[in-house]
Amino acid sequence: MNGAEIDISKLPAAASKEINFEKEIKPLLETSCLKCHGPKRPKGKYSMDTRANMIKGGSSDETAITVGNSAASPLVLFSADLVEEMEMPPVDKREKYPALTKDQIGLLRAWVDQGAKWTEGVVLEAKVPQK
């Protein structure tokens, strides 16, 4: 990530429970990420519609998820606003696409740490957040 120093101590703690992808991660991704990072014209060439695409990353050629290590995963670091200019969702879009809460980042971290398990056949679809 451009060699910039990232203060991992600011990363919310991973949730201390077994994560259910369909109930806990899928809704987060569909509400806050997929509108811009879906399969049709994904921003930064980063599509989050499948596990393989999500791990692979986008135009930076950097892996977005280091399976088993959330603290080394750009997806988690960007979601936690720890990389300047790469905050996700972008700060100027947060009225429409809410930033993840510390608890939600904790769920995302635990999911990555637990192997980024993705139920076979589950397809993500963008959802517009409810106001």
Side-chain angles (χ1 to χ4, degrees):
M1 278 166 279
N2 309 357
E5 283 299 313
I6 297 168
D7 187 355
I8 301 298
S9 72
K10 292 182 179 175
L11 201 55
S16 58
K17 64 177 190 151
E18 188 69 27
I19 301 301
N20 180 308
F21 174 76
E22 288 179 65
K23 289 183 178 158
E24 297 170 293
I25 301 304
K26 182 178 182 275
L28 295 180
L29 301 176
E30 289 178 333
T31 301
S32 291
C33 310
L34 224 66
K35 193 71 176 159
C36 296
H37 296 288
K40 299 176 188 166
R41 298 187 330 175
K43 301 261 188 212
K45 297 182 181 172
Y46 182 48
S47 179
M48 301 174 79
D49 62 325
T50 67
R51 182 179 188 270
N53 285 343
M54 227 175 129
I55 290 170
K56 183 176 76 172
S59 58
S60 72
D61 293 328
E62 182 175 12
T63 302
I65 295 175
T66 303
V67 176
N69 187 353
S70 62
S73 297
L75 172 72
V76 173
L77 300 174
F78 296 173
S79 298
D81 294 344
L82 295 184
V83 181
E84 197 172 336
E85 304 287 325
M86 291 303 296
E87 298 90 351
M88 289 294 146
V91 175
D92 64 345
K93 303 255 190 265
R94 291 191 175 172
E95 192 171 303
K96 192 169 184 180
Y97 307 106
L100 300 184
T101 65
K102 288 183 181 200
D103 286 344
Q104 290 170 326
I105 293 165
L107 292 172
L108 189 63
R109 286 197 69 190
W111 177 69
V112 170
D113 291 342
Q114 293 168 18
K117 297 175 193 134
W118 186 302
T119 310
E120 187 80 30
V122 171
V123 177
L124 301 187
E125 298 174 28
K127 305 260 191 284
V128 176
Q130 302 300 314
K131 295 249 176 196

